[in-house]
Amino acid sequence: MSHALSAKEQALSKVFSDDYAFTIPGYQRPYAWGEEQAQELLDDLLGALRDAPKALTESVPYFLGSIVLIKKESAPDSIVVDGQQRLTTLTLLLSAIRTTVQDADVRGGITKRIYEMGDVVSATEASYRLSMRERDREFFREYVQHENGLAMLAALNKLLPDAQGRLRSNAQLFLRELAKLNQAELI
């Protein structure tokens, strides 16, 4: 069996699309980014947006970092070898924007970037763009990926395991920082 190595630049809209279903394997370390790394990512993104032309399609691509995957070209299933911290934090940021923005259409669009809801008529289950390690998977789905979960996470007042505690701290950070932006900036 031959394996090919390929490198591609991908827009975030492509990364958070049906083309990818990321899985964090059990051998990966737990979510470890603290508020410093989350703040740095947010500051970098906001700085790039402020420097961008009015029409974002005219802006120069902004490099967010590498993600290393094991993935067949023909299927969305992607095992994350490197980049889980960034993918998890970006998902958390999308969820925080969804919680903060008032426009229902924007919230719905963000939800589709985080997960596809199941459909009773089609007999399909929810499809998640990112599946955490098994230990944190349900927590992440309930408090980050599902609508209204982030507000519940930010308000959660109990001792949490390290990775889940960092998710809560970073959610609180993002909600605080995004509250300083106007609705146009959020969109």
Side-chain angles (χ1 to χ4, degrees):
M1 176 186 285
S2 71
H3 296 283
L5 180 66
S6 65
K8 300 177 190 174
E9 269 187 23
Q10 298 283 10
L12 275 179
S13 59
K14 182 90 167 165
V15 171
F16 290 99
S17 75
D18 288 340
D19 291 351
Y20 294 94
F22 301 103
T23 299
I24 309 297
Y27 61 80
Q28 290 280 11
R29 67 184 174 141
Y31 181 67
W33 273 19
E35 289 184 31
E36 184 178 327
Q37 292 95 344
Q39 183 71 57
E40 187 176 324
L41 177 68
L42 181 61
D43 290 345
D44 285 351
L45 288 169
L46 291 174
L49 283 173
R50 288 188 180 108
D51 294 342
K54 291 284 183 207
L56 285 178
T57 55
E58 297 173 10
S59 66
V60 187
Y62 181 77
F63 181 67
L64 275 173
S66 307
I67 298 171
V68 179
L69 308 171
I70 297 172
K71 180 183 183 314
K72 291 181 182 173
E73 196 67 36
S74 60
D77 299 333
S78 309
I79 297 171
V80 179
V81 175
D82 186 43
Q84 75 142 320
Q85 305 298 323
R86 189 173 301 107
L87 279 171
T88 303
T89 307
L90 286 168
T91 302
L92 187 64
L93 178 58
L94 282 171
S95 184
I97 294 169
R98 178 181 62 190
T99 299
T100 308
V101 74
Q102 295 170 355
D103 186 299
D105 291 335
V106 173
R107 286 194 310 267
I110 292 172
T111 293
K112 288 182 180 180
R113 299 318 181 273
I114 296 173
Y115 81 103
E116 283 291 332
M117 292 182 232
D119 181 8
V120 175
V121 175
S122 301
T124 58
E125 293 186 26
S127 172
Y128 298 89
R129 305 277 183 235
L130 175 62
S131 289
M132 299 288 286
R133 296 167 3 122
E134 191 171 334
R135 179 176 175 191
D136 298 315
R137 188 172 296 149
E138 288 307 315
F139 179 90
F140 192 72
R141 286 178 179 171
E142 180 180 353
Y143 289 111
V144 176
Q145 292 173 306
H146 289 178
E147 297 87 348
N148 304 318
L150 205 68
M152 291 187 317
L153 174 60
L156 199 59
N157 191 20
K158 69 177 189 175
L159 187 62
L160 295 170
D162 289 345
Q164 295 173 9
R166 283 189 282 279
L167 285 167
R168 178 179 53 199
S169 294
N170 289 342
Q172 291 167 334
L173 167 81
F174 285 153
L175 291 172
R176 269 193 321 271
E177 293 299 313
L178 293 175
K180 297 174 186 175
L181 304 176
N182 65 47
Q183 290 295 304
E185 290 172 309
L186 288 168
I187 292 169

